[in-house]
Amino acid sequence: MVIYEPAGKAKEYCDLALNLYAGCAHGCIYCYAPKIQYKTREQFQLASPRKDIIRLVAKEAPAYAGKEVHLCFTCDPYQPLEDAFHITRQTLEIFTAHNIRARILSKGGERMLKDVNKMKKNNSIVGATLTFVSEEDSKKYEPGAASQAYRMFALKELKQAGLETWVSLEPIIDPLQTLEIIHLTHRYVDTYKVGRWNHDLESEKINWKKTALNIIEVLKKYNKNYYIKKDLAVFLS
């Protein structure tokens, strides 16, 4: 089955998910996917469409009518390969035909805008991972992804097109920059999902309780919908 029920932390984002590509060219150094797929980061960056993925999505889609499916957890649906293969675009068409709503998460920036009409027909929920305000930091941690500015621009355009938008503030690497992201984007983002930085010793230097409280305070100030993931919420108990 290519459409599946995620487990653990991933299930906090959506009850169903679909990974369209094998690997991801963005090369984010905090990404957990290479490890769980037993690949080096270099191997994982040599991405390709999953074998027979469109045929398999079309075969499975009728069983998920009326559901919402997350795109994607172990790859980016709008990584550069999408320009050549249009796998995400074809998936949106299949989803729309079977009344499946896509919940999209990408660092692809303006690449997402090429499918805005497909997203509108699907009534997709479209989001971006935002980690920094500093482009220098972004290039260090997410070397192949679109710039933060382009991701924000895409979200603004998608919101103006009438789509529901969201942001994944995960991982939080620099709490002050995370707060600044909210200040910069709150006018065109509907929902924020917030999670801590894991699997890095540097993350232990962050006061997670203070960070969570500060983020919640700002989100409440702007009257934003938000979800604090369990790995961060535990610091508030």
Side-chain angles (χ1 to χ4, degrees), residues 54-66:
I54 293 302
R55 180 183 66 80
L56 292 170
V57 171
K59 179 181 178 181
E60 295 180 17
Y64 297 98

Side-chain angles (χ1 to χ4, degrees), residues 77-93:
Y78 286 100
Q79 59 179 298
L81 282 175
E82 180 64 14
D83 289 337
F85 293 99
H86 307 300
I87 299 297
T88 301
R89 180 177 297 174
Q90 294 175 74
T91 298
L92 286 172
E93 292 171 346

Side-chain angles (χ1 to χ4, degrees), residues 168-200:
S168 173
L169 297 172
E170 183 187 22
I172 299 168
I173 296 174
D174 183 331
L176 292 178
Q177 291 195 58
T178 298
L179 291 171
E180 183 63 19
I181 287 167
I182 299 170
H183 290 308
L184 290 170
T185 63
H186 70 91
R187 291 183 178 85
Y188 50 84
V189 172
D190 296 303
T191 302
Y192 294 83
K193 296 201 173 186
V194 189
R196 64 167 292 188
W197 186 18
N198 292 298
H199 314 301
D200 194 299

Side-chain angles (χ1 to χ4, degrees), residues 9-237:
K9 298 174 184 178
K11 194 170 175 61
E12 294 182 70
Y13 273 8
C14 200
D15 289 332
L16 294 168
L18 168 62
N19 298 311
L20 297 172
Y21 290 94
C24 182
H26 286 165
C28 304
I29 65 172
Y30 52 74
C31 182
Y32 65 91
K35 184 177 181 180
I36 66 172
Q37 295 186 8
Y38 303 101
K39 294 181 179 180
T40 66
R41 294 200 176 275
E42 292 73 21
Q43 289 171 332
F44 189 73
Q45 284 182 251
L46 297 174
S48 61
R50 292 179 66 185
K51 185 177 179 181
D52 294 332
I53 188 63
I54 293 302
R55 180 183 66 80
L56 292 170
V57 171
K59 179 181 178 181
E60 295 180 17
Y64 297 98
K67 303 293 186 179
E68 183 179 300
V69 176
H70 180 91
L71 304 175
C72 304
F73 280 125
T74 63
C75 64
D76 193 304
Y78 286 100
Q79 59 179 298
L81 282 175
E82 180 64 14
D83 289 337
F85 293 99
H86 307 300
I87 299 297
T88 301
R89 180 177 297 174
Q90 294 175 74
T91 298
L92 286 172
E93 292 171 346
I94 295 168
F95 277 12
T96 300
H98 294 282
N99 191 31
I100 299 171
R101 191 183 195 191
R103 175 179 286 274
I104 297 167
L105 181 62
S106 177
K107 299 177 190 140
E110 290 177 295
R111 191 171 286 111
M112 291 193 288
L113 300 179
K114 296 178 181 180
D115 285 348
V116 65
N117 290 330
K118 304 290 185 184
M119 294 171 182
K120 288 175 72 173
K121 288 181 181 179
N122 179 258
N123 193 28
S124 302
I125 307 169
V126 190
T129 298
L130 297 177
T131 40
F132 299 103
V133 175
S134 163
E135 295 296 352
E136 182 180 352
D137 289 338
S138 183
K139 280 296 182 184
K140 175 182 175 182
Y141 285 90
E142 305 160 336
S147 73
Q148 305 288 321
Y150 282 140
R151 295 180 220 175
M152 292 180 190
F153 172 77
L155 284 172
K156 188 174 183 179
E157 292 292 304
L158 291 162
K159 181 63 179 174
Q160 289 178 346
L163 288 158
E164 183 177 343
T165 58
W166 69 290
V167 161
S168 173
L169 297 172
E170 183 187 22
I172 299 168
I173 296 174
D174 183 331
L176 292 178
Q177 291 195 58
T178 298
L179 291 171
E180 183 63 19
I181 287 167
I182 299 170
H183 290 308
L184 290 170
T185 63
H186 70 91
R187 291 183 178 85
Y188 50 84
V189 172
D190 296 303
T191 302
Y192 294 83
K193 296 201 173 186
V194 189
R196 64 167 292 188
W197 186 18
N198 292 298
H199 314 301
D200 194 299
L201 292 177
E202 288 295 309
S203 69
E204 301 304 320
K205 298 177 182 179
I206 296 173
N207 183 330
W208 288 109
K209 181 174 183 178
K210 180 181 178 182
T211 294
L213 289 171
N214 287 342
I215 289 171
I216 290 169
E217 180 182 11
V218 173
L219 290 169
K220 286 183 175 179
K221 170 187 171 182
Y222 290 126
N223 196 30
K224 294 283 102 177
N225 296 320
Y226 67 88
Y227 177 82
I228 306 297
K229 291 189 73 177
K230 293 175 183 177
D231 61 357
L232 180 58
V234 68
F235 292 92
L236 298 172
S237 59

